[in-house]
Amino acid sequence: MSEFKMTTVEEMEAATARLLETGAKVGADAWQLRVKNQTPHCKFGEQGICCRICAMGPCRITPKAPRGICGCDAHGIVGRNYLKFTAAGAATHSDHGREICHTLYCTAEDGNYKVKDPDKLIRIAKEWGVETEGKDIYDLAHEMAEIGLMEYGKPFGIQRFLDRMPESQKKKLIDNELAPRAIDREVSSSLHMAHMGCSSLPEALVKQSLRCGLADGWGGSMMGTEFSDVLFGTPKPINTEANLGVMNADNVNIVVHGHDPSLSEMICEYADDPEMIAYAKEMGAKGITVSGVCCTSNEVAMRRGVPMAGNFLQQENVVLTGACEAIVVDVQCIFPALGPLSKCFHTKFVTTSPIAQMPDSEFIRFSAETAGENAKAIVKMAIENFKNRKPELVHIPDLKQKATVGYSVEAIVKVLDGVTNTQVDVTGTTKPLLECVTSGVIRGAVAMVGCNNPKIRPDYAHIELMKKLIANDIIVIASGCAAQAAAKAGLMDKAAKDICGAGLKRVCELADIPPVLHMGSCVDISRMMILASELSKDSGLEINQLPVVGCAPEWMSEKAVSIGNYVIATGIDTFLGVDPYVSGSSEMAALLTEGTRKWTGAAFTVETDIEKLVDLMIERIEEKRAALGI
């Protein structure tokens, strides 16, 4: 009898209910209450048929009024809204990449930031045709940072990383005018196209949405991932823990939240500093615990083993424990509600980026140039706040699971080398994984990504889909909040192999891996595109022929729309559990769920019934297998 026990969604919900009781005592607000006040949602908005891009309106499409004042119909309005959604998401993730490029430019042998993976820097430099022989590694880092920053605004050419794609997929994109040019140009062109009096043809708007998404996934996001590896180390499997029980009632608790690892890495450095630990003990604590929420958490978990307190919809819970001295945020997915909520407790809510300034926060401007002093000041502030705790409000749920995280492409290739008994030297390729698939030991793979969304029972979709997939011998690679859902439930514990199908269980035993592989933060979905490309090259198959699909069952942000566009543009069918506000246009819905296949080889499937969604994914994987005769 297996001793492995998952943490159920019901147990997580019970823990949250207990925390909300604490919140009620101090008059705290919570997203569960705000959802009730915001429903039912505006049906015009949900269908994408409300237009407010000029001051003649806003215009809403109805049977009585099928066109806006300018004459634009539902298809054009929905298309423009979808493109604007994509442009905002691409700008957001790519700006993250820009900050990482800037941090790389600030590296120095005696500086706050150093080059921790020089070999990877040299590999990328050679890939980009940059001379490396005899060059100081920091001179090379600065040169590569400048070249990377030029990808945002170069006047000619397409994104450099597109050369990593299989030639056939790259050709499809070029032939269909989808290949992304400069990153900022695609965002700017998208906003121009969606301006009043410009594009209203759905096909043109969808094409630009794909191109803009690709500028993110194969441009800004990919640079964010690759150069983060250079700066902080390429992830490899490391053990950690997940769920709210990772917080420690005896310690100073600092929670990092957001997406930019430049901040969280430095916070971790100073939290480990013996001087800071000694100071915490002086203040009455036994030590310092750093834990994380959202993708900042994923970043430090996969490189340092820092525990993951939770994902997107648990960000308020860490404050509701009454044991959080400071929640330190950078950018993206941060609730403005954290300010007033923190004031109900002793928690310091610290914002650090001029891009994400919020009311009721303490703003400490963080920059690569002053990173050390900024991080030290934040850690010291948290320590000094320990004495202000109210013991009667402290309650940390007893929920915690083991997790093995940090499966970069390099790590996946390495661990799967030991799975097959082939006599051929396959080190450094994806051939062992391909052999597992073609032999039927593994049926296929699902890349599960995305956020939480109150429209779907939080984490339920992620966890239930993953359970059914691994039971059917389909391996799951996960990033972002989907990865944290898996970790909180225990699906990233190697012992979870016991709930897999026989084939996947055998692979987990041979490779010593969990059935759900943690691939990083949401910006690291670019890793999944690289992995799919390598599988395509090693197999000789088109990407869209591989028995691999993407899935975002609980997505909620503009970034997720950009991601979805670059995943299908890469040739990977993608399944969504939340409608992307296009149901008001039959033409837009048809283009996104079928029409994009003629340009990229892949499309979206939208299904809000989670049981049906997983069945559709398995069906699609089996169709791909049948077409290949495996």
Side-chain angles (χ1 to χ4, degrees), residues 159-171:
Q159 286 298 294
R160 289 171 179 267
F161 276 137
L162 223 60
D163 287 340
R164 291 180 167 185
M165 265 190 188
E167 194 59 39
S168 58
Q169 190 68 19
K170 179 181 170 185
K171 185 175 186 303

Side-chain angles (χ1 to χ4, degrees), residues 151 154 156-160 162-163 170 174 179-182:
E151 289 297 286
K154 64 185 184 182
F156 305 108
I158 60 176
Q159 286 298 294
R160 289 171 179 267
L162 223 60
D163 287 340
K170 179 181 170 185
I174 292 171
R181 302 159 297 182

Side-chain angles (χ1 to χ4, degrees), residues 71-257:
C72 191
D73 61 13
H75 311 301
I77 289 171
V78 171
R80 286 172 178 170
N81 288 337
Y82 185 81
L83 179 54
K84 284 198 168 205
F85 225 61
T86 302
T92 301
H93 257 170
S94 293
D95 215 30
H96 171 158
R98 191 191 324 253
E99 286 301 313
I100 296 298
C101 287
H102 177 73
T103 302
L104 183 64
Y105 188 79
C106 292
T107 54
E109 194 165 358
D110 58 351
N112 291 310
Y113 296 104
K114 298 176 175 58
V115 172
K116 290 192 177 177
D117 192 340
D119 292 340
K120 186 158 194 174
L121 178 63
I122 291 166
R123 286 202 309 274
I124 299 169
K126 288 179 178 177
E127 188 181 336
W128 284 4
V130 175
E131 181 58 53
T132 62
E133 198 65 38
K135 229 173 239 183
D136 176 82
I137 199 67
Y138 288 97
D139 289 341
L140 181 61
H142 303 157
E143 184 178 353
M144 290 296 289
E146 283 200 57
I147 295 171
L149 288 166
M150 280 301 296
E151 289 297 286
Y152 286 84
K154 64 185 184 182
F156 305 108
I158 60 176
Q159 286 298 294
R160 289 171 179 267
F161 276 137
L162 223 60
D163 287 340
R164 291 180 167 185
M165 265 190 188
E167 194 59 39
S168 58
Q169 190 68 19
K170 179 181 170 185
K171 185 175 186 303
K172 280 181 197 172
L173 300 182
I174 292 171
D175 290 348
N176 288 290
E177 296 188 339
L178 298 176
R181 302 159 297 182
I183 299 162
D184 289 348
R185 180 177 182 181
E186 298 305 353
V187 172
S188 181
S189 291
S190 297
L191 294 177
H192 186 179
M193 282 182 75
H195 190 273
M196 189 275 158
C198 287
S199 290
S200 56
L201 182 68
E203 186 170 298
L205 293 162
V206 169
K207 275 193 165 185
Q208 181 57 26
S209 296
L210 296 175
R211 183 190 249 180
C212 191
L214 284 162
D216 169 11
W218 290 85
S221 279
M222 200 166 282
M223 282 193 285
T225 292
E226 296 292 80
F227 290 149
S228 287
D229 286 355
V230 169
L231 283 161
F232 311 123
T234 300
K236 54 188 176 182
I238 187 170
N239 294 327
T240 187
E241 294 178 315
N243 222 327
L244 287 166
V246 303
M247 297 176 73
N248 190 324
D250 296 324
N251 286 1
V252 172
N253 283 290
I254 301 172
V255 177
V256 291
H257 172 22

Side-chain angles (χ1 to χ4, degrees), residues 293-304:
V293 170
C294 262
C295 285
T296 281
S297 176
N298 284 312
E299 296 277 4
V300 291
M302 66 185 175
R303 294 192 176 93
R304 291 175 170 268

Side-chain angles (χ1 to χ4, degrees), residues 277-499:
I277 293 170
Y279 189 42
K281 289 177 179 177
E282 278 181 45
M283 294 292 109
K286 290 185 178 179
I288 303 171
T289 294
V290 177
S291 59
V293 170
C294 262
C295 285
T296 281
S297 176
N298 284 312
E299 296 277 4
V300 291
M302 66 185 175
R303 294 192 176 93
R304 291 175 170 268
V306 169
M308 299 183 281
N311 48 6
F312 176 63
L313 284 181
Q314 277 189 293
Q315 60 186 277
E316 291 174 314
N317 286 14
V318 297
V319 178
L320 288 167
T321 63
C324 177
E325 273 61 59
I327 181 164
V328 186
V329 305
D330 43 72
V331 293
Q332 302 169 28
C333 297
I334 299 149
F335 278 178
L338 289 174
L341 175 64
S342 294
K343 287 189 176 300
C344 294
F345 293 86
H346 75 298
T347 306
K348 298 285 188 183
F349 175 44
V350 183
T351 52
T352 60
S353 171
I355 287 172
Q357 298 183 62
M358 298 183 189
D360 297 313
S361 71
E362 303 202 27
F363 182 60
I364 297 178
R365 185 165 186 156
F366 184 88
S367 71
E369 292 83 354
T370 59
E373 63 186 79
N374 298 151
K376 187 173 183 178
I378 291 168
V379 172
K380 190 175 180 185
M381 175 193 293
I383 292 169
E384 291 170 350
N385 195 29
F386 181 77
K387 64 181 180 293
N388 296 319
R389 255 197 213 172
K390 297 175 182 175
E392 69 276 12
L393 295 179
V394 174
H395 171 73
I396 299 173
D398 186 22
L399 292 178
K400 189 162 58 174
Q401 285 281 6
K402 295 177 183 176
T404 303
V405 300
Y407 289 93
S408 58
V409 175
E410 294 89 336
I412 288 174
V413 167
K414 184 175 181 180
V415 299
L416 288 174
D417 270 350
V419 174
T420 60
N421 294 318
T422 177
Q423 299 303 306
V424 181
D425 179 14
V426 294
T427 303
T429 77
T430 62
K431 287 180 181 176
L433 179 55
L434 287 165
E435 285 192 36
C436 289
V437 173
T438 55
S439 66
V441 176
I442 294 177
R443 308 298 296 174
V446 170
M448 196 169 297
V449 304
C451 335
N452 301 128
N453 190 322
K455 290 182 176 180
I456 292 178
R457 187 178 175 189
D459 289 335
Y460 179 82
H462 292 137
I463 293 166
E464 292 305 311
L465 291 179
M466 289 177 190
K467 281 165 57 180
K468 188 161 183 177
L469 290 168
I470 64 176
N472 281 274
D473 290 321
I474 296 170
I475 195 167
V476 177
I477 52 176
S479 68
C481 287
Q484 289 168 320
K488 289 190 301 177
L491 292 169
M492 288 180 173
D493 186 336
K494 292 175 184 177
K497 70 181 187 299
D498 291 332
I499 62 172

